[in-house]
């Protein structure tokens, strides 16, 4: 019979509790989008067959190259009735020329612009509002100029959830395949973030969406006063809008390979700005999902703290280090299975195997760096502090 000291029992108990929480988080929570997507694919879940007319809205600032490269993939969607509206946010490049040239070929392409004299407000929110006002149809679908739908059925996939109750549909916006450790970390972080908000929506607790792939009704926007409650912020036109307007009955999540959009590039500077943007808006989120994710972060730190202490406390005693090592391997397997299965369904080219432990440890360090960076540039969060 084996006997452990009180310290060893305490360490193993702490490690076990953290592991159970991590198992629930990865397998039960983050694994839900994969199970949902497979259920749709196998016909266990049926969706409305309607194809409502759609207005696709894209806001662009100095994106002439991306518009020329990616806009045709939006304009050539396999969908019966839709329009594409591009809002030029005061570009100084050849965006107008590109849009004019594409407009001669695609008659369902329209474009407008943000007045250059607009100041002391979020140009992105103004651009989105102008696009919505110009839209002919009630169902609005949003993406960015530097994003490309991975399928000609993107519109069909994102709008198939709309019924009498549904007003918002959240989709996944992928990052491109990495070229180094930092970009691999960005892909890893984005995949987890995407699974978090998709899982919360499936659990009927929606809290955010991303403007790279998001749909909602025009009627909802105007009946709920658009961005009125957070006009003071530059950011929030996507995630904060969803956080305020979404509820357990009016929001659905779309999980399929056909529904994904992917960014052209994700340099460190781009990832940093996206992270800082979410840090800015997340303080205004509903508390429920945030508390759960915070406790999950604490359990991850606790897991590694207890595991490493078990291994280093008495490395010559093989029993405790062996138990800790086995639990680490179990968690590693669960992470790899959950994330790679989701990546396959969401057409994420990146896969995670040997890199998981490294990424899992350095991710909190970068999140801390982004928060510190945000502290020193916080004045740019508000429209009334900087133009």
């Amino acid at each position: 019979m084996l006997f452990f000291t009180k310290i060893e029992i305490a360490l193993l108990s702490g490690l076990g509790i953290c592991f159970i929480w991590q198992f629930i988080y990865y397998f039960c929570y983050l694994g839900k989008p994969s199970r949902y997507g497979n259920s749709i694919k196998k016909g266990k879940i049926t969706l409305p067959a309607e194809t409502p007319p759609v207005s696709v809205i894209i806001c662009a600032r100095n994106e002439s190259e991306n518009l020329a490269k990616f806009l045709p993939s939006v304009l050539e969607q396999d969908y019966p009735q839709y329009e594409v509206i591009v809002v030029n946010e005061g570009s100084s490049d050849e965006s107008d020329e590109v849009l004019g040239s594409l407009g001669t070929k695609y008659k369902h392409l329209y474009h407008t612009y943000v007045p250059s004299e607009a100041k002391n407000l979020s140009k992105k929110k103004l651009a989105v509002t102008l696009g919505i006002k110009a839209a002919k149809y009630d169902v609005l679908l949003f993406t960015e100029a530097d994003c490309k739908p991975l399928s000609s059925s993107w519109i069909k996939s994102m709008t198939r959830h709309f019924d009498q109750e549904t007003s918002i549909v959240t989709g996944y916006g992928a990052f491109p395949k990495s070229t180094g450790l930092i970009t691999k970390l960005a892909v890893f972080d984005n995949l987890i973030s995407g699974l978090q908000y998709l899982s919360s929506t499936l659990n009927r607790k929606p809290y955010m969406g991303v403007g790279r792939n998001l749909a909602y009704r025009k009627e909802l926007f105007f009946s709920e006063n658009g961005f009125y409650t957070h006009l003071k912020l530059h950011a929030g036109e996507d995630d904060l809008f969803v956080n305020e307007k979404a509820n357990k009955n009016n929001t659905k999540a779309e999980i399929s390979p056909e529904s994904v959009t992917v960014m052209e590039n994700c340099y460190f500077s781009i990832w940093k700005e996206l992270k800082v943007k979410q840090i800015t808006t997340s303080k205004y989120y509903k508390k429920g999902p945030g508390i759960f994710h915070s406790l999950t972060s604490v359990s991850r730190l606790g897991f590694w703290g207890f595991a490493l202490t078990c291994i280093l406390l008495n490395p010559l005693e093989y029993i405790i280090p062996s138990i800790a090592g086995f639990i680490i391997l179990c968690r590693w397997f669960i992470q790899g299975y959950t994330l790679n299965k989701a990546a396959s369904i969401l057409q994420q080219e990146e896969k995670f195997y040997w890199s998981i432990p490294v990424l899992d440890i350095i991710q909190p360090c970068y999140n801390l760096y982004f928060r510190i960076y945000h502290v020193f540039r916080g004045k740019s969060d508000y429209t009334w502090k900087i133009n």
Side-chain angles (χ1 to χ4, degrees), residues 258-277:
E258 295 77 22
S259 68
V260 178
T261 63
V262 63
M263 293 179 67
E264 162 70 350
N265 294 298
C266 185
Y267 304 116
F268 178 74
S269 58
I270 296 175
W271 180 42
K272 180 171 68 173
E273 289 305 310
L274 290 174
K275 292 291 289 184
V276 169
K277 175 186 173 183

Side-chain angles (χ1 to χ4, degrees), residues 13-246:
S13 297
L15 179 60
I17 292 171
C18 291
F19 173 76
I20 292 171
W21 187 286
Q22 289 285 294
F23 173 81
I24 294 171
Y25 173 68
Y26 277 99
F27 188 77
C28 301
Y29 181 67
L30 294 190
K32 190 162 188 173
S34 299
R35 294 189 290 272
Y36 178 77
N38 284 331
S39 295
I40 293 177
K41 185 177 180 180
K42 294 177 181 178
K44 296 180 180 179
I45 297 176
T46 57
L47 299 173
E50 298 180 7
T51 54
V54 176
S55 295
V56 179
I57 298 175
I58 300 171
C59 300
R61 179 177 175 81
N62 294 328
E63 297 276 9
S64 59
E65 292 185 10
N66 286 327
L67 289 171
K69 187 184 298 185
F70 299 133
L71 196 52
S73 65
V74 177
L75 292 162
E76 296 171 3
Q77 287 285 300
D78 180 16
Y79 199 77
Q81 187 176 5
Y82 75 103
E83 64 177 354
V84 179
I85 301 170
V86 178
V87 184
N88 189 342
E89 297 181 56
S91 300
S92 57
D93 61 2
E94 294 76 30
S95 293
D96 278 336
E97 289 79 1
V98 171
L99 292 171
S101 175
L102 290 172
T104 60
K105 180 179 179 181
Y106 301 99
K107 301 306 178 183
H108 56 305
L109 170 63
Y110 306 92
H111 54 99
T112 184
Y113 65 94
V114 174
S116 58
E117 62 270 15
K119 295 181 179 180
N120 296 321
L121 47 78
S122 168
K123 283 189 170 59
K124 185 59 177 288
K125 289 177 182 174
L126 177 58
V128 172
T129 303
L130 291 173
I132 293 174
K133 286 186 175 181
K136 291 191 294 186
Y137 306 124
D138 183 48
V139 176
L140 311 172
L141 178 56
F142 298 85
T143 188
E144 300 287 353
D146 61 347
C147 294
K148 175 184 178 181
L150 292 180
S151 167
S152 61
S153 298
W154 169 59
I155 297 179
K156 188 183 299 182
S157 300
M158 286 296 295
T159 58
R160 62 180 176 171
H161 296 268
F162 281 100
D163 53 26
Q164 291 184 343
E165 286 190 342
T166 305
S167 296
I168 302 172
V169 176
T170 59
Y172 181 68
F175 282 3
K177 190 171 183 180
S178 67
T179 56
L181 177 62
I182 301 304
T183 49
K184 193 175 187 72
L185 176 62
V187 174
F188 177 81
D189 181 85
N190 182 68
L191 178 60
I192 291 177
S193 176
L195 292 176
Q196 285 178 338
Y197 69 75
L198 292 172
S199 297
S200 286
T201 300
L202 293 174
N203 285 319
R204 306 188 73 184
K205 296 180 180 179
Y207 73 94
M208 68 164 285
V210 294
R212 304 193 303 276
N213 202 3
L214 175 66
Y216 53 80
R217 291 189 183 277
K218 182 177 182 178
E219 188 274 335
L220 173 73
F221 182 85
F222 287 113
S223 66
E224 295 291 333
N225 298 316
F227 305 126
Y228 178 76
T229 58
H230 48 90
L231 280 176
K232 64 180 180 180
L233 296 173
H234 278 291
E237 75 285 346
D238 49 7
D239 60 339
L240 199 51
F241 177 82
V242 173
N243 188 267
E244 290 185 343
K245 316 305 181 187

Side-chain angles (χ1 to χ4, degrees), residues 26-27 30-31 34 195 333-343:
Y26 277 99
F27 188 77
L30 294 190
S34 299
L195 292 176
F333 174 80
I334 293 167
Q335 285 179 294
Y337 175 81
T338 300
L339 296 180
N340 289 321
K341 190 174 181 65

